[in-house]
Amino acid sequence: MNYPLLNKTAAVIVFLALWEILPRFGLVNPMFIPPLSAVLATGLHLVENGELVTHTLVSLERAFGGLLAAMVVGFPLGLVLGGGFPRLREAVGPLMELFAQANPLILAHIIIFFLGIGQSARIFIIAWLCLWPITFSVIDGIRSADPLLLKAAGSLGLGRVGLFTRVVLPSSAPTIFTGVRLAAGYAFIMLIASEMMGASSGLGWLVAQGQENYHVTRIFAGAAVITTLAVATDGLLRLVERRVVVWKVNTE
Amino acid sequence: MATHGDGTHKEDLKIVLKDIGQVYHLKKSADGSREFQALKDINLQVRAGEFVALVGPSGCGKSTLLDILAGLTRPSSGAVYIDGKEITGPALDRGIVLQGYALFPWRTVRRNVEFGLEIKKVPKSERRGISDHFIRLVGLEGFEEHYPHELSGGMKQRVAIARALAYDPEVLLMDEPFAAVDAQTRETLQDELLRIWDETKKTIIFVTHSIDEAVFLADRVAIFSSNPGTFREIVEVDLPRPRHNSDIRSSAEFGWVRHRIWELLQSRPSQECREGGNIVVKDAISPSATI
């Protein structure tokens, strides 16, 4: 018997069991919260008719597209601002804080006006929110490099570029991973929001359809898949993090 | 005249410090801008293979002087010569060991030791043999693939020493390297350092708080006074070598040299503390081994 595993999964198992039992015995209204088995049946049905796979793929494309776009922009932006341009950082810092707090959904109609109602508008909305934790974490990571390590490496006559690649970048890896994982979480939250307005596909749309047609099991099936995807993505990132940031493993 | 372990005189000069001065411009206060003279009139000649310790109170400029030697700081006046050539910046002819270990946490013991070799562009095939040698020299065989967080403080400092030695600098600069380890480990590391010094014949400049440590290790001890930081006196430590694995610490001669240095540090004129304005040196040096 693996006790640590039991410890970690016990709460989830109890939760799933209650989800099944409470509606079955009428302790909660199954109209609003159908039992787990009913949700699974609907999920299975959606898998069989291919709907679920199609919508999942569309959603994944949006979520990862947005996250990837945020990384493509955020990494260099963070490197420039965290690296050698303290004046520029001071100048644009407040603006970035402002942008980070601006919810792109508010501006959804304007974004759609510019990018159309298709895939790119949704990816843009996701990327916008993911961009800031990534950029800020890169800036923080770079700036928090241990001065003692820089001194030790600098005493060997290492130049700016060498110090950057051999000391600053590796020491910022843990901070950057935190930012990327945060962004990945945002990506899935924004995914659903963006798919609930004017979309005709995706898991968010599946949930929205369920709401409109009182298909409660569809809502829950969609929600379960989205949650699983988000958890799996975070797990994957953790796995990569553990392989890259070997020296922080024991502190978690 | 101090002699090396094998009894030969080594008269060729390795390091020459000539009229080193260091002035910091402090931020403007109510009475206008002020200058702080951290170092003044530092002169020292170090023979090849010599072990020189620098002792003095906190804030006397010991570490600043070491930074200048490392080439990390340029002195306001004067110059440092190594083998007759003025140094203009950091280079691989000097190895540095710092108090806080400064190991790269993302590198294994081996890769930490090989860091300088990579910068020196030593081919990978050769690096392994060299790192093997120095890891063995500091007694860490079997820990090659460990990460720094898996090591004790004393072991980390051994890695730092191996790293500084691996790219074969002729001068080793050590800034209170054993200050963060416990007293017992500290004595072991001191023994080890003397053994390694014997084997590698490096020229060592060793900054420390501890009079005992300075007397045990060094051929000469340069005693700092502060405000401005300058050498009060340079004391020859004429104790027999090899000193490691010996009970020399409890010998009468050892006690006598230690006492003399202690007196020199105590005899600090009282006005010195006031000269620096608000910069007051609070730490008094005690004669005990650790501070």
Side-chain angles (χ1 to χ4, degrees):
Chain A
M1 191 75 196
N2 195 341
Y3 286 102
L5 191 68
L6 185 74
N7 257 342
K8 277 185 186 169
T9 50
V12 177
I13 291 168
V14 169
F15 168 74
L16 294 177
L18 287 177
W19 188 358
E20 179 64 32
I21 294 163
L22 294 182
R24 283 252 172 258
F25 290 92
L27 292 166
V28 296
N29 191 340
M31 282 269 286
F32 299 132
I33 301 179
L36 178 60
S37 52
V39 172
L40 286 177
T42 305
L44 207 66
H45 172 71
L46 288 172
V47 172
E48 275 167 359
N49 68 16
E51 266 188 84
L52 196 60
V53 179
T54 316
H55 292 305
T56 302
L57 287 179
V58 170
S59 285
L60 280 180
E61 189 186 326
R62 286 169 185 158
F64 282 106
L67 187 61
L68 217 66
M71 287 202 265
V72 167
V73 178
F75 283 154
L77 186 63
L79 290 182
V80 167
L81 294 178
F85 302 93
R87 281 263 173 78
L88 185 63
R89 183 173 61 244
E90 270 173 38
V92 299
L95 184 65
M96 294 203 309
E97 298 282 351
L98 205 78
F99 279 173
Q101 296 303 323
N103 189 330
L105 285 177
I106 300 166
L107 300 174
H109 291 96
I110 293 158
I111 293 165
I112 288 168
F113 177 76
F114 279 107
L115 296 173
I117 203 160
Q119 198 79 322
S120 44
R122 285 171 227 293
I123 288 178
F124 180 88
I125 287 172
I126 294 165
W128 179 269
L129 215 70
C130 293
L131 176 63
W132 308 110
I134 291 173
T135 308
F136 290 141
S137 72
V138 174
I139 293 174
D140 283 350
I142 284 177
R143 283 164 53 77
S144 61
D146 185 351
L148 203 64
L149 290 182
L150 291 171
K151 187 175 172 178
S155 73
L156 301 175
L158 214 55
R160 278 174 71 93
V161 176
L163 283 177
F164 190 77
T165 54
R166 284 171 192 273
V167 182
V168 174
L169 269 190
S171 57
S172 59
T175 317
I176 294 175
F177 264 105
T178 308
V180 171
R181 277 175 53 196
L182 195 65
Y186 286 179
F188 281 97
I189 293 171
M190 286 317 281
L191 169 74
I192 304 316
S194 76
E195 283 178 345
M196 281 181 164
M197 7 165 278
S200 53
S201 62
L203 293 166
W205 174 82
L206 197 74
V207 170
Q209 281 298 102
Q211 283 169 352
E212 274 173 38
N213 302 319
Y214 298 106
H215 274 154
V216 184
T217 52
R218 277 187 163 229
I219 299 175
F220 278 97
V225 173
I226 292 157
T227 310
T228 309
L229 288 178
V231 169
T233 304
D234 191 56
L236 199 74
L237 285 171
R238 270 172 188 266
L239 210 70
V240 178
E241 182 180 14
R242 228 170 294 168
R243 303 219 58 169
V244 176
V245 191
V246 273
W247 67 98
K248 285 269 168 86
V249 174
N250 288 358
T251 57
E252 253 187 67
Chain B
M1 185 60 61
T3 56
H4 205 264
D6 52 12
T8 55
H9 284 270
K10 294 206 171 179
E11 292 302 334
D12 44 328
L13 291 178
K14 189 76 200 171
I15 308 168
V16 175
L17 298 171
K18 198 166 182 329
D19 301 327
I20 301 286
Q22 182 72 318
V23 176
Y24 290 115
H25 299 276
L26 300 177
K27 282 216 171 128
K28 275 197 172 177
S29 54
D31 54 339
S33 82
R34 290 200 314 117
E35 287 187 346
F36 170 57
Q37 181 113 35
L39 293 173
K40 195 183 173 193
D41 300 333
I42 300 273
N43 283 288
L44 182 68
Q45 300 188 330
V46 183
R47 294 183 302 276
E50 196 181 11
F51 199 130
V52 174
L54 310 178
V55 294
S58 302
C60 70
K62 304 187 294 279
S63 296
T64 307
L65 184 59
L66 211 76
D67 282 356
I68 290 171
L69 277 161
L72 294 166
T73 306
R74 293 294 295 270
S76 313
S77 58
V80 180
Y81 301 89
I82 290 185
D83 291 325
K85 273 194 294 191
E86 184 175 352
I87 64 161
T88 53
L92 291 160
D93 59 352
R94 282 150 281 154
I96 190 161
V97 180
L98 302 164
Q99 183 189 333
Y101 320 126
L103 299 179
F104 303 110
W106 53 88
R107 285 173 169 253
T108 59
V109 167
R110 179 187 299 289
R111 299 251 301 131
N112 262 288
V113 173
E114 289 179 359
F115 187 78
L117 300 171
E118 288 172 24
I119 300 197
K120 216 175 167 179
K121 300 206 162 53
V122 175
K124 200 172 182 179
S125 50
E126 289 174 39
R127 291 206 295 259
R128 198 180 168 91
I130 299 171
S131 60
D132 271 340
H133 171 74
F134 285 99
I135 289 167
R136 219 173 19 249
L137 186 72
V138 298
L140 282 180
E141 55 270 69
F143 291 94
E144 289 85 352
E145 304 310 320
H146 283 60
Y147 284 93
H149 73 263
E150 300 167 318
L151 306 177
S152 69
M155 290 162 90
K156 284 181 196 166
Q157 201 52 278
R158 285 162 193 263
V159 179
I161 291 169
R163 182 178 64 185
L165 288 170
Y167 53 90
D168 199 28
E170 293 181 22
V171 175
L172 204 54
L173 305 170
M174 308 184 84
D175 191 1
E176 304 196 31
F178 307 148
V181 297
D182 63 87
Q184 200 129 31
T185 309
R186 187 177 189 153
E187 287 201 2
T188 314
L189 288 172
Q190 289 167 358
D191 276 345
E192 294 276 293
L193 180 62
L194 284 186
R195 179 180 59 77
I196 291 164
W197 176 60
D198 237 17
E199 283 179 38
T200 57
K201 307 279 188 255
K202 303 291 178 198
T203 308
I204 301 183
I205 307 277
F206 191 103
V207 168
T208 178
H209 256 99
S210 158
I211 301 172
D212 273 50
E213 185 166 73
V215 174
F216 179 71
L217 295 171
D219 294 320
R220 286 189 293 159
V221 179
I223 295 132
F224 261 98
S225 60
S226 45
N227 292 330
T230 191
F231 291 151
R232 157 151 308 168
E233 193 156 333
I234 298 170
V235 174
E236 297 268 347
V237 183
D238 218 353
L239 299 172
R241 292 197 186 270
R243 298 177 193 162
H244 48 289
N245 302 321
S246 77
D247 196 22
I248 199 160
R249 286 187 186 85
S250 51
S251 73
E253 292 85 350
F254 187 93
W256 188 86
V257 178
R258 189 181 65 179
H259 180 70
R260 182 164 146 66
I261 293 171
W262 182 74
E263 273 190 331
L264 281 164
L265 283 162
Q266 289 302 302
S267 67
R268 180 173 60 213
S270 58
Q271 71 267 22
E272 258 181 36
C273 285
R274 284 182 234 120
E275 269 175 11
N278 52 3
I279 300 143
V280 178
V281 179
K282 290 202 188 82
D283 313 48
I285 286 287
S286 88
S288 66
T290 52
I291 304 286

